[in-house]
Amino acid sequence: MSTSKLLIAALAALPLLTALPTAVSAQDFAITNATVAIGDGGEPIEGGTVVVRGGKVSAAGAGVTVPAGIPVTDGTGAWVTPGLVVALSDVGVYDVGAVSESNDTTGGSSPFSAALDISPAINPAAQQMKLARAGGVTRASVVTGARGSIFAGQGAVVDTGADPDAVMKARAFQYVELGEGGARLAGGSRVAAHIYLRNAMREARAFAAGTWKGDEAMLTRADAEALGAVVSGKQRLYVEVERASDIRIVIALGREFPKLDIVLVGASEGWMVAGEIAAAGVPVIADALDDLPQSFEQLGATQSNVGRMVDAGVEVSIGRIFGEEIPAYVTQYAGNLVALNNVPGATGLTWGEAFATISSIPAKISGIGGKAGVLKAGAVGDIVIWDGDPLEVSSAPVRVYIDGVEQPLDSHQSRLRERYRDLDESDLPKAYDW
Amino acid sequence: MASASDKGGETAIADVPFPSTYSAYPGAPTALIGATVFDGAGDRIDNGTVLFADGKVTAIGDASLTIPDGYTRIDGTGKYVTPGIIDIHSHLGDYPTPSVAAHSDGNEATSPTTPQVWAEHSVWPQDPGFSRALANGGVTSLQILPGSANLMGGRSVTLKNVPSRTVQGMKFPGAPYGFKMACGENPKRVYSSRGPSTRMGNFAINRQTWADAKEYADGDRETRNLAKETLAGVLDGDILVHNHCYRADEMAQVLDMAKEAGYKVTAFHHAVESYKIGDILREADVCSAIWADWWGFKMEAYDGIPENAALIHQAGACVIVHSDSANGIQRLNQEAAKAQASGKRMGIDIADAEIIRWLTLNPAKAMGIDDQTGSLEAGKMADIVLWNGDPLSVYSRPEKVWVDGAMLFDSSDSKRRPVSDFELGQPGEGDVK
């Protein structure tokens, strides 16, 4: 342990980037002798090597040869993983949650719904972006909350790099809220939500077929057009539901509109219908640790939900990171699912399975499967070097690369930390300490 | 700081309406052997022995401690023992789950000052959250506070985390009352139309209320006035002030207001900026009850940093890790571990045993129950958690939890797990949670 601590200290002592030069390019580099997690569900590999060339992973694992001439970092004692992927978040769309002027997380009273497109609201310079990458999160799906209608609009896939190009994929998916929340939005009942949803699907189909009549329609033209991509299966439909019976209804909806490409979001009672979800081939984005009957649609909530669904063959990602949560919490959530293996009667995940729920699986659900969240040849060069087991609460990234470019890890928070390392104001006020 | 027991214990309790009817459940004399013991007071014993009987800790020591006859031995090799975790800031019961409007009982948001309300009159003992806090968080005592809509939110209540048909059956015997106050954004937002609508308005109303209370307290106190009785209790030092306050500059102003009015602030809660004034807080002997790293959800939380706890500790002031959350209360140990690691990365090394104190003896002290619980000391309540691994690791969970020597959670016995009335006959009744 002492040797590895020394090497980690040496790694951490290397000068860290605090600002990027105006033009940056991907570096070729290799890390050797590290514990490497590929992100594909397998267990971590001791003494592994990761090679990044031209901004992409070129090789990772055991027995990998480092090509001659590229810089090598000895990663003894360190862990190396792909950049984490958060399946759903509001990263980059607000500065301060309760400061509404800075907050673009909901369309509020907009006349539009499904047409809402989060991508122009995303701010690559937001503090949340900085905290995300400092926490090892390099990619995320971002979405607004549903407010004016059951349709929240179209989410985007972003990277958290310190560059202007945050949006990797705009209009990546449509988001609809059913269950108790959707029922309130649609007029006060699940009945209202379902007729609204079906009508919207029919109008979208009509729009795509050129038979949509605006004067008879409930949707705006823009919303009908946006939903066309959903009914034709070109755009995934994320459906937020919690209750077992609501999950069954969503699966049935998939039979009624066979081209729908559905992702379940929430699914607190998913374990009660896990076999049906697996048979339908529908992936799930779940809250890992929900175990309270927060509402009547979550009476069956348990931390074993994810483990039971995975055991039934469901593809599960964790991480809905909104509000006071920060993206880096996903590692703690995943670690807790591993902890369940030591709780009699509980169903947890192996370390590799847990890590996949915050790397390769959210990448796959977000439409960047094989390209991110995994250390495979050809994947983006998103690499995180950690000072310990990344799922352990005491660990943190030491270095983060996105597309092969080393990232600054500083933020408003780290600047405050440095200013207040001591409270000495004998010469000048703290305001001069920067 | 005064506590009820300083004021005469049982006699004082008898004078208080809604008295505790809690009594300990039966337990067997038990010896926990071979585990790493964190005593809650900052000490660590490897291969330690903890003995308890008749609801009390009887002895604690290393492997050489003699185990009297009649003690059930539990092998803790590879495991850890701590005092029961204590959450100083919880809304279990007054904002219970399911969190439907009919259950919203935490804020009497009808006036900016409601010192007359008592949180215990809102607590629903069937809140399923109590059981999660016990089983996943090892929480054995907790303070239920009114919310933060009001400048003066009312009295708190301290509970033992033992299921009961009544709130009185959960009340921690002899615990002093707390008094909830709130700074900053919440009161001025909630009352923006009627006032206060500014921070200066917040202070003006508080100061006038204290001045009026002083007049009452100095008088004969014969006319019943529930609000002023509470405030007089604070001025007497019998009721401990727990002040929700995020910003450093605002905490400093509150300390001066307290000086003017003649009361003491026991703890600032949600004190995300305490790291800026650790010296002032040390001098004032005020604890900071904080999250590890919550940040950015409101303007006054914008300067929160994960090194807050370590920097407060470095300044010599008191740190408490709190939850304010039915989820967070299940993982206070993990939050403390995060705060420890953030400190370590900036060069502030704090021993594991000291970190455990942030969850046990420090909150007990700020709740005025440190003479009864919060550390593993002979004569104190046998509120004990046996963890299946290092409590500062994400991979560890409580294996067994005792409250006053009674085993109320055992992870290997599915029946030794509380199930609230609400959950009977529902999906997941009795499930692992």
Side-chain angles (χ1 to χ4, degrees):
Chain A
M1 194 63 196
S2 58
T3 317
S4 60
K5 272 187 180 165
L6 279 174
L7 284 156
I8 290 291
L11 258 181
L14 292 170
L16 285 176
L17 289 176
T18 53
L20 285 175
T22 45
V24 288
S25 56
Q27 302 140 283
D28 290 352
F29 62 94
I31 306 150
T32 57
N33 302 318
T35 303
V36 174
I38 301 293
D40 60 357
E43 294 306 297
I45 298 161
E46 302 287 336
T49 296
V50 178
V51 182
V52 176
R53 305 191 79 173
K56 305 228 181 261
V57 175
S58 72
V64 168
T65 309
V66 179
I70 74 169
V72 177
T73 301
D74 180 5
T76 304
W79 287 58
V80 180
T81 70
L84 307 176
V85 182
V86 171
L88 273 176
S89 77
D90 49 17
V91 65
V93 292
Y94 71 78
D95 294 296
V96 177
V99 173
S100 62
E101 310 90 301
S102 84
N103 187 330
D104 292 317
T105 55
T106 68
S109 49
S110 165
F112 298 102
S113 58
L116 296 169
D117 171 4
I118 193 67
S119 58
I122 290 162
N123 177 13
Q127 291 296 330
Q128 287 176 317
M129 285 283 191
K130 299 182 183 191
L131 293 184
R133 66 174 173 259
V137 173
T138 61
R139 312 272 160 174
S141 280
V142 181
V143 71
T144 55
R147 281 298 179 276
S149 141
I150 60 172
F151 291 106
Q154 301 168 89
V157 181
V158 304
D159 73 58
T160 63
D163 60 62
D165 303 320
V167 178
M168 201 181 167
K169 198 174 170 192
R171 297 172 298 285
F173 57 94
Q174 176 65 243
Y175 194 98
V176 65
E177 186 172 344
L178 295 178
E180 289 185 4
R184 295 321 104 188
L185 289 166
S189 73
R190 284 175 168 82
V191 181
H194 279 283
I195 186 62
Y196 187 90
L197 178 67
R198 280 175 172 75
N199 178 68
M201 294 297 172
R202 284 184 206 114
E203 287 194 26
R205 270 207 295 228
F207 191 92
T211 58
W212 183 75
K213 295 193 178 71
D215 52 352
E216 292 173 11
M218 288 190 69
L219 296 180
T220 68
R221 169 175 287 272
D223 294 326
E225 187 176 5
L227 284 175
V230 173
V231 281
S232 63
K234 289 181 190 139
Q235 191 183 53
R236 285 200 124 162
L237 180 64
Y238 287 25
V239 187
E240 182 180 330
V241 280
E242 304 286 356
R243 198 170 76 184
S245 73
D246 288 334
I247 294 169
R248 285 198 179 99
I249 294 291
V250 173
I251 291 170
L253 187 72
R255 290 194 287 270
E256 189 179 336
F257 297 91
K259 287 187 176 165
L260 288 183
D261 188 7
I262 292 171
V263 176
L264 290 169
V265 177
S268 292
E269 294 188 346
W271 63 274
M272 294 161 61
V273 287
E276 291 160 67
I277 300 172
V282 173
V284 174
I285 299 169
D287 297 321
L289 303 182
D290 279 3
D291 63 359
L292 288 160
Q294 198 64 42
S295 58
F296 276 90
E297 60 188 354
Q298 295 172 282
L299 294 175
T302 166
Q303 293 182 22
S304 291
N305 185 35
V306 172
R308 290 171 186 169
M309 286 194 289
V310 168
D311 283 355
V314 181
E315 199 163 54
V316 185
S317 169
I318 63 172
R320 268 201 293 183
I321 304 292
F322 295 104
E324 72 270 359
E325 296 180 298
I326 54 178
Y329 288 175
V330 291
T331 55
Q332 183 183 3
Y333 298 159
N336 272 280
L337 295 185
V338 179
L340 293 181
N341 291 325
N342 295 325
V343 177
T347 308
L349 298 180
T350 66
W351 194 98
E353 287 172 337
F355 190 75
T357 67
I358 58 173
S359 55
S360 60
I361 296 173
K364 190 174 170 197
I365 291 173
S366 302
I368 51 173
K371 291 185 198 155
V374 69
L375 298 177
K376 294 274 192 202
V380 292
D382 290 10
I383 308 293
V384 184
I385 306 179
W386 304 79
D387 60 7
D389 173 356
L391 302 189
E392 183 56 271
V393 279
S394 54
S395 304
V398 180
R399 286 168 176 265
V400 176
Y401 299 82
I402 296 179
D403 290 321
V405 178
E406 185 167 6
Q407 298 294 314
L409 302 181
D410 60 337
S411 65
H412 177 64
Q413 288 190 322
S414 68
R415 303 291 297 128
L416 284 163
R417 175 190 71 215
E418 293 311 312
R419 171 172 281 181
Y420 288 97
R421 258 183 190 278
D422 62 59
L423 299 175
D424 181 14
E425 291 183 303
S426 50
D427 291 330
L428 279 172
K430 276 291 170 195
Y432 295 83
D433 183 0
W434 55 279
Chain B
M1 125 192 0
S3 70
S5 52
D6 296 336
K7 296 239 153 216
E10 299 306 315
T11 319
I13 298 161
D15 294 340
V16 172
F18 312 97
S20 170
T21 58
Y22 169 80
S23 63
Y25 282 85
T30 302
L32 302 178
I33 52 176
T36 303
V37 178
F38 294 123
D39 74 351
D43 282 332
R44 169 193 179 119
I45 306 169
D46 292 317
N47 193 10
T49 304
V50 175
L51 305 179
F52 57 93
D54 301 323
K56 306 285 185 205
V57 175
T58 50
I60 166 173
D62 60 20
S64 67
L65 188 69
T66 305
I67 300 169
D69 290 342
Y71 275 64
T72 304
R73 292 170 185 242
I74 295 179
D75 182 12
T77 307
K79 299 171 186 176
Y80 287 69
V81 176
T82 69
I85 304 301
I86 300 176
D87 190 1
I88 197 170
H89 194 120
S90 173
H91 297 291
L92 290 179
D94 67 8
Y95 279 118
T97 52
S99 57
V100 295
H103 274 163
S104 178
D105 286 319
N107 276 306
E108 180 55 33
T110 52
S111 162
T113 59
T114 57
Q116 68 274 21
V117 305
W118 295 21
E120 65 203 75
H121 300 138
S122 276
V123 169
W124 183 44
Q126 300 298 339
D127 184 349
F130 289 115
S131 65
R132 310 320 192 247
L134 179 76
N136 294 334
V139 171
T140 56
S141 300
L142 63 173
Q143 174 170 237
I144 311 303
L145 291 155
S148 54
N150 299 351
L151 296 166
M152 296 177 170
R155 291 195 196 199
S156 69
V157 63
T158 293
L159 304 177
K160 305 251 12 172
N161 194 11
V162 177
S164 174
R165 292 172 294 155
T166 66
V167 177
Q168 294 92 319
M170 298 179 78
K171 280 181 81 172
F172 194 114
Y177 276 103
F179 182 53
K180 174 72 180 288
M181 294 184 68
C183 284
E185 287 180 25
N186 289 10
K188 82 188 186 91
R189 184 187 69 243
V190 173
Y191 296 102
S192 57
S193 54
R194 60 170 284 188
S197 68
T198 60
R199 284 182 159 85
M200 60 187 172
N202 286 354
F203 272 85
I205 291 174
N206 273 329
R207 293 174 69 207
Q208 189 62 55
T209 307
W210 284 120
D212 295 347
K214 181 82 167 48
E215 205 176 302
Y216 173 85
D218 289 346
D220 60 18
R221 304 191 188 189
E222 277 183 3
T223 307
R224 290 302 306 268
N225 181 315
L226 294 178
K228 286 178 176 163
E229 286 170 15
T230 292
L231 296 171
V234 173
L235 295 172
D236 292 344
D238 295 336
I239 297 179
L240 310 177
V241 172
H242 295 275
N243 201 144
H244 153 128
C245 209
Y246 284 69
R247 260 172 34 187
D249 55 304
E250 225 168 345
M251 288 188 254
Q253 305 247 40
V254 167
L255 290 175
D256 273 354
M257 175 169 72
K259 222 177 271 177
E260 177 190 48
Y263 69 92
K264 177 171 166 39
V265 179
T266 293
F268 285 117
H269 291 230
H270 314 341
V272 300
E273 287 192 14
S274 280
Y275 68 94
K276 297 183 182 180
I277 52 164
D279 48 355
I280 296 172
L281 296 170
R282 177 191 64 233
E283 289 310 311
D285 187 27
V286 183
C287 290
S288 298
I290 55 178
W291 302 285
D293 55 8
W294 283 23
W295 166 88
F297 49 96
K298 60 200 295 201
M299 194 64 228
E300 60 195 3
Y302 197 62
D303 281 4
I305 64 173
E307 296 84 2
N308 191 25
L311 285 165
I312 299 165
H313 176 84
Q314 177 180 257
C318 156
V319 176
I320 295 166
V321 175
H322 72 4
S323 80
D324 188 26
S325 158
N327 291 305
I329 195 171
Q330 302 178 47
R331 290 177 283 284
L332 285 169
N333 55 315
Q334 294 175 27
E335 297 307 299
K338 285 199 280 186
Q340 178 189 34
S342 295
K344 189 171 181 183
R345 274 191 286 277
M346 72 171 295
I348 303 173
D349 253 312
I350 307 169
D352 292 351
E354 185 63 28
I355 301 296
I356 296 299
R357 186 190 180 113
W358 295 356
L359 309 172
T360 53
L361 192 58
N362 283 3
K365 182 178 166 231
M367 289 155 66
I369 53 174
D370 54 313
D371 55 341
Q372 300 180 76
T373 189
S375 63
L376 300 175
E377 192 185 316
K380 280 195 173 182
M381 293 165 165
D383 296 343
I384 299 172
V385 184
L386 175 66
W387 301 82
N388 65 7
D390 180 353
L392 299 178
S393 166
V394 75
Y395 300 124
S396 303
R397 290 292 175 99
E399 186 172 301
K400 294 181 168 62
V401 183
W402 292 266
V403 181
D404 287 305
M407 193 197 287
L408 295 183
F409 174 69
D410 180 355
S411 64
S412 61
D413 176 0
S414 63
K415 292 302 245 183
R416 195 53 69 145
R417 182 187 302 152
V419 175
S420 83
D421 289 358
F422 176 75
E423 298 192 88
L424 290 179
Q426 307 272 26
E429 171 190 336
D431 198 358
V432 287
K433 294 295 180 183

